[in-house]
Amino acid sequence: MSKEILKLKPQQLWKHFYDLTQIPRPTGQMKEVTKFVIDFGKSLGLEVKQDKTGNIVITKPATKGMEKAPVVILQSHLDMVPQKNSNVKHDFTKDPIETQIEGNRVKAKSTTLGADNGIGVAAMMAVLEDTTLKHGKIEALFTVDEEVGMVGASGLKKGFLSGNVLLNLDTEEIGELCVGCAGGADVNADWEFKDAEVPAGDVAYKISLTGLRGGHSGTEIHMGRANANKLMFYFLKEAVSNYEVRLSAIDGGSLRNAIPREAVAIVTLPEEDEKDFLKLVKEYEKIFKEEYKAVEANLSFKAAKTELPKTLIPEEIQDSVINAVIGCQNGVISMLTDFEGIVETSTNLASVKSEAGRISAKMLARSSSETRKDEICSSLESVFALAGAKVSIENGYPGWQPNAQSDTLNMMAKLYKDMYNEEAHVVVVHAGLECGIILGSTPGLDIVSFGPTILNAHSPDEFVEIDTVSKFYDYLVKTLENIK
C-alpha cells in the first residue's frame, strides 16, 4: 500500500517523501537520512556541506535573470517523532513507515507518519532537482534532531549560511503564514530510592489507561485532550489513600513534545481489598469517559491481575511523586492578548517513568514570553523540589518574535490572494519552530513559515491532507519566483 503515494501529485515531491518513509529517522538516529540527503545533493552536481552537528546545506545557483535576487534559505528538519499504538509491532530504528491513502488523507498504519517535517524536506528536494523553476540562489538547510530541543538548529555557527530570507516549511495549516512562535525548555525531576519489600498477603494488578488521542503538545495543547499521566495519578491518589495500594512501577507517556496517550502502573494491595479496588477502577473509567466524552471516544481504563512484583517503591517516595504529579500545572496557562485564540504559555507533563531505584518526570514548558517561560519553569521546579525531587531545567530555546513589517510576508500575503482568491491568515503559533534559533546564528533574516495541512502530529493519528500538499508546493514555487 505504501507505494500508492507515488501516484499522487506533485509526483517529484511524493517520490521523495516515499523515499523518506523507507529510511528510519527517529530523533537521535540521523546517520542514514543525512547520508541520503548528501548523496542526493551530490547526484545533482550541487555544492553540499555538513557542519559538526550534522546539519546539511545544499546550494543551488540562481536561475538566469534572478542572479540579483536575495539568497533564500529553505529549511526543514529531518527527524520525526516515533509514536505507535501499544498493540503494534514496529521498530522505528529499523522498520520503514507503512503509508496508506484514506480519501484525501495520507496516514501511516498505527504509527506516526513523519509528514512533520518530511513533507517539507521532500518539497525542498523537489525544488533542488527541478531545472525548470525560476529563483534566486537557494540554500537548502536540512537540520537534525529538531524534536528533542532543536539540537541541530542550536548547533548552527555564524557563517554557515549566507541567506537574506528564510522560508521555514514546518507550519501545519494551509493558508497560514506564520511570523512567530513560542520558546521552550525541558523541566526534569528525578527521585532515587532503595526498593521496598512487598507486604505479605498482597495481590498485584496491572492498571492500563489507553486509547487517548495524544497529539502535539504545542499546536494541540489547547484542544482539551486528556493527559494520561494526570488521569492515572488522580486514580492512584485515591487508591493509595483508601485501599492501601502500593506502587511498584509506572510507565506513562514517552516524548517531551507529545501529549501522553497511555499510562501503565503495577500496584499491589491487600487481598481483602480486591473487590473494592476493582469497583474503584470501574468508577474512574466511567468518570474519565464522562469528563472527556467529547474528545476521547476510545478511552479505556482497566485493571488485570498480574504476577506479584519483587519490589515496591518506598511509601514516602510514592506519596511524594503522586502529590507532585497532581500538583503539576499541565495544559494551557495563558493566552496571547494580541493574537486571539493563540496560546501564550503552556506545560506538558510528558512522561512519568520508573526503573530500578529511580522515578523520573519530564515536562516541556512553552511560552511566547521569555519571562513567562522562566516563571512557569520556576513554578514547576518548586513543585517537584518540595516533593523531594532533584530538578533540572535544560534545552532552553528562544521564541521567534513577530515582524509585522516583513517585506517577504507582505509579498507572500498578496501572492496568496492572487493565486487562490482568498486571504492568507497571518499567525503566531504556540509550537516551537527553529526560526528564532536560526536567526541567532544568521542575524537580519526576513522569515516566514508555511506548509500543508498536517493534523494530529506526534501521534499515530497523524495525517496530511493530499490536496493541500500540491497547493503548498505550487505556492512555494511561486514564492521563490517572486522574491526579487
Side-chain angles (χ1 to χ4, degrees), residues 339-481:
F339 291 84
E340 186 177 353
I342 302 298
V343 179
E344 178 189 56
T345 307
S346 75
T347 61
N348 179 44
L349 178 57
S351 71
V352 184
K353 295 180 181 292
S354 64
E355 54 188 33
R358 181 181 178 185
I359 293 182
S360 62
K362 298 184 182 299
M363 294 138 280
L364 175 56
R366 302 179 190 262
S367 184
S368 304
S369 162
E370 285 297 299
T371 55
R372 292 203 173 180
K373 184 180 77 175
D374 291 343
E375 287 173 6
I376 192 61
C377 286
S378 179
S379 174
L380 295 171
E381 181 182 33
S382 295
V383 168
F384 284 88
L386 284 169
K390 181 180 179 181
V391 186
S392 62
I393 300 173
E394 303 172 343
N395 300 323
Y397 58 89
W400 163 32
Q401 295 302 311
N403 175 18
Q405 306 307 315
S406 162
D407 291 336
T408 304
L409 171 65
N410 293 332
M411 178 277 290
M412 291 182 68
K414 182 179 183 303
L415 178 63
Y416 194 87
K417 179 67 180 295
D418 291 343
M419 290 180 68
Y420 303 115
N421 196 31
E422 58 184 79
E423 300 289 343
H425 300 288
V426 179
V427 300
V428 174
V429 297
H430 189 56
L433 295 171
E434 295 156 288
C435 304
I437 302 173
I438 297 171
L439 188 61
S441 66
T442 312
L445 287 173
D446 193 4
I447 308 174
V448 177
S449 178
F450 61 107
T453 297
I454 299 170
L455 293 175
N456 304 321
H458 299 187
S459 85
D461 297 323
E462 178 187 6
F463 67 85
V464 59
E465 292 185 352
I466 295 169
D467 60 352
T468 69
V469 173
S470 57
K471 189 174 182 179
F472 152 69
Y473 186 70
D474 290 345
Y475 182 52
L476 168 62
V477 168
K478 282 294 184 182
T479 295
L480 291 171
E481 186 177 334

Side-chain angles (χ1 to χ4, degrees), residues 82 145 311 322 472 483:
D145 293 336
T311 60
I322 289 172
F472 152 69
I483 295 178

Side-chain angles (χ1 to χ4, degrees), residues 10-18 119 122-123 126 129 469 472-473:
Q11 284 188 308
Q12 285 177 302
L13 186 155
W14 285 106
K15 175 188 176 299
H16 295 310
F17 183 70
Y18 171 79
I119 293 292
E129 74 175 353
V469 173
F472 152 69
Y473 186 70

Side-chain angles (χ1 to χ4, degrees), residues 34-48:
T34 53
K35 182 181 184 303
F36 168 73
V37 171
I38 289 170
D39 290 347
F40 169 78
K42 289 181 177 179
S43 74
L44 298 176
L46 300 176
E47 177 189 348
V48 181

Side-chain angles (χ1 to χ4, degrees), residues 13-14 17 20-21 25 76-81 97 99 106-108 111-123 147 169-172 451-459 462-465 469 472:
L13 186 155
W14 285 106
F17 183 70
L20 288 168
T21 66
R25 53 190 177 92
S76 297
H77 63 84
L78 291 169
D79 59 319
M80 65 172 285
V81 169
I97 300 297
T99 61
V106 171
K107 64 187 300 291
T111 71
T112 38
L113 173 65
D116 173 15
N117 189 210
I119 293 292
V121 171
E147 300 289 5
L169 308 182
D170 198 16
T171 295
E172 297 174 355
T453 297
I454 299 170
L455 293 175
N456 304 321
H458 299 187
S459 85
E462 178 187 6
F463 67 85
V464 59
E465 292 185 352
V469 173
F472 152 69

